Amino acid sequence: MRKEQLRAIIFVMVAFMLGCNEYVIVGVLPDVAKEYHVSLASLGYVVTIFAFVYALTTPLITSLANRWPRHRVLFTLIVIFLMGNTWTAMATNYWSLILSRMLTATVAGAIISLVLVIASFVARPEKRASLVSWIFAGFSIASVIGVPIGTLVSQHLTWHDSFWLITWLTLIVMILLFWLVPRDTPQVKGHMADQFVIFKDRRVLVGIFFIVAVCAADYTFYTYIRPLITNVLGFNDTWLNWLLLVMGVFFIIGNKFGGVLANNGGVKKLPWMYVAMTILLVLMAPSFGWPWLTIAIIALVCIALAGYGASTQLMFLNIAEKEYPQALDLASSLNSIFANIGISLGSLTAAETVQFLGLTKVGYVAAIYGVIATILVILAAKWRDVKVK
């Protein structure tokens, strides 16, 4: 196997590792609630805080890290990530869990940002969109394999053991990164203010607000996907794991479909997908009387939720390469930064919706974000090739 292929595999493994850390908590929330004697609604804020810290710290760390060689920064951040995840595995109370998740969130976004930049340099031009889509698919693979396994381990052992598995995975990933990551990717160094100039570009702004809206729509219902499947739809724990697996498969399909779109028009091909997503979210609540119909609707929504990544990532990178080369590392982090702002907003919305309207109304509220996302992606498609500041 060539080194180029091995690098592609390890880049996907990094995304898988980060995805497991971020998503497994959703599958084990009921078990955490039981151990810590706190409400499920309160634990929804664990997801919110993680996403908020992720979004707040990623641009700062990515911009500051531009002063040192990328590979050294990446190795340092992986070590911190290992410490944070291991702390989560050992957490003995609610606040210990919160603090450990905050530490992990501090570095997770910068890790995937650096990996995406390095990948864009090592991939051949014709393979770039495909590799980016596979890296994003690593997060979906975490949903397919990581979340069901983490949930199963939590059910039969403890939720702590789910995070111990991620610690062992991180050690393997770290060793492979030391071996495979190139040491000579080109960098254009600049002050932090020079990098943040990218936020003056309207194409970038509309792209990032679109990502926020899509991910808010996602986590308005996905934060409570386990009680939605078991309490509302009536599936038992065995079916829960299989259904989480199916949803992860559809996320992967969405990622790969997104890679095809990125190679054939990019964001210009996205608007109709988000019109369809919004309609499906509206139909979610009326479908609860027919559980398998609801599962089909959620599966189709998963395709749309995962389909934007490659197109927006390449749009940001292309804009930065041509007009803001000093902000390339920051541009690579925009997807992950604003996805987590969206996740934070969505999980907060989910917690408030469950508290005041009930679990069965999450689809309607998610559809509001879907409408906003559709409007924004239409603007992104219109402005993509026009320099508007």
Side-chain angles (χ1 to χ4, degrees):
M1 188 178 293
R2 292 180 304 182
K3 202 166 188 178
E4 178 184 344
Q5 294 171 314
L6 289 172
R7 282 172 172 165
I9 291 171
I10 187 59
F11 293 154
V12 175
M13 285 182 65
V14 171
F16 175 75
M17 172 194 77
L18 296 173
C20 286
N21 175 271
E22 184 166 359
Y23 301 150
V24 161
I25 192 69
V26 174
V28 304
L29 281 181
D31 301 314
V32 179
K34 183 178 180 181
E35 178 179 332
Y36 291 162
H37 305 291
V38 296
S39 70
L40 201 58
S42 297
L43 279 172
Y45 297 118
V46 174
V47 179
T48 303
I49 292 170
F50 179 94
F52 177 77
V53 172
Y54 186 116
L56 182 66
T57 57
T58 297
L60 298 175
I61 292 178
T62 304
S63 300
L64 290 171
N66 184 252
R67 303 177 184 181
W68 295 279
R70 289 192 182 98
H71 67 281
R72 293 182 183 175
V73 176
L74 180 60
F75 298 156
T76 301
L77 296 179
I78 287 286
V79 171
I80 297 172
F81 177 87
L82 175 66
M83 294 168 58
N85 184 81
T86 304
W87 184 3
T88 299
M90 300 171 65
T92 56
N93 57 63
Y94 180 79
W95 288 107
S96 180
L97 176 64
I98 289 285
L99 292 173
S100 71
R101 297 297 288 162
M102 289 174 67
L103 177 62
T104 309
T106 300
V107 297
I111 289 171
I112 194 59
S113 301
L114 290 170
V115 165
L116 284 164
V117 172
I118 294 170
S120 71
F121 283 116
V122 302
R124 288 174 290 176
E126 68 275 13
K127 298 288 186 180
R128 196 179 190 194
S130 178
L131 179 54
V132 168
S133 69
W134 269 115
I135 292 172
F136 281 109
F139 288 96
S140 299
I141 296 169
S143 295
V144 173
I145 300 174
V147 174
I149 289 178
T151 304
L152 189 65
V153 169
S154 180
Q155 290 168 344
H156 292 279
L157 297 172
T158 72
W159 66 267
H160 300 275
D161 295 300
S162 301
F163 283 93
W164 279 116
L165 286 177
I166 300 170
T167 287
W168 286 109
L169 173 63
T170 305
L171 285 170
I172 295 170
V173 168
M174 185 188 305
I175 293 169
L176 292 173
L177 282 173
F178 285 148
W179 172 38
L180 292 168
V181 168
R183 269 63 169 171
D184 57 353
T185 55
Q187 289 179 257
V188 178
K189 298 182 180 180
H191 298 293
M192 188 176 293
D194 296 329
Q195 297 177 61
F196 278 81
V197 71
I198 196 171
F199 289 116
K200 294 182 179 180
D201 193 305
R202 280 199 296 170
R203 295 167 299 175
V204 172
L205 290 176
V206 75
I208 62 182
F209 283 120
F210 160 68
I211 292 169
V212 170
V214 171
C215 294
D218 180 359
Y219 267 74
T220 296
F221 75 90
Y222 197 73
T223 297
Y224 293 109
I225 192 65
R226 181 172 167 182
L228 191 65
I229 291 174
T230 55
N231 298 348
V232 176
L233 300 182
F235 290 99
N236 60 30
D237 285 343
T238 300
W239 273 111
L240 169 68
N241 291 310
W242 283 109
L243 292 173
L244 289 174
L245 178 67
V246 168
M247 289 174 199
V249 169
F250 275 85
F251 270 115
I252 292 177
I253 292 171
N255 282 127
K256 295 314 297 172
F257 182 57
V260 173
L261 292 179
N263 272 326
N264 295 276
V267 294
K268 290 188 175 182
K269 299 291 186 179
L270 296 181
W272 285 108
M273 184 159 63
Y274 291 96
V275 170
M277 182 196 76
T278 302
I279 294 171
L280 289 169
L281 288 170
V282 171
L283 294 175
M284 188 181 295
S287 73
F288 285 153
W290 298 273
W292 284 109
L293 177 59
T294 306
I295 295 300
I297 288 172
I298 293 174
L300 292 174
V301 169
C302 288
I303 294 177
L305 292 171
Y308 73 88
S311 292
T312 53
Q313 183 70 23
L314 291 179
M315 182 183 78
F316 294 144
L317 288 175
N318 289 337
I319 290 171
E321 284 177 343
K322 293 175 183 177
E323 299 167 33
Y324 314 100
Q326 77 280 7
L328 186 60
D329 286 9
L330 180 59
S332 74
S333 70
L334 296 180
N335 250 20
S336 58
I337 292 169
F338 290 96
N340 275 274
I341 290 177
I343 289 170
S344 180
L345 179 60
S347 59
L348 177 61
T349 303
E352 297 302 313
T353 301
V354 169
Q355 183 174 353
F356 293 104
L357 298 178
L359 188 58
T360 59
K361 300 298 189 296
V362 290
Y364 290 132
V365 179
I368 297 172
Y369 290 122
V371 172
I372 297 170
T374 301
I375 294 170
L376 290 169
V377 78
I378 290 171
L379 290 175
K382 180 180 179 181
W383 291 344
R384 189 194 68 171
D385 299 321
V386 180
K387 186 175 180 180
V388 281
K389 295 184 179 180

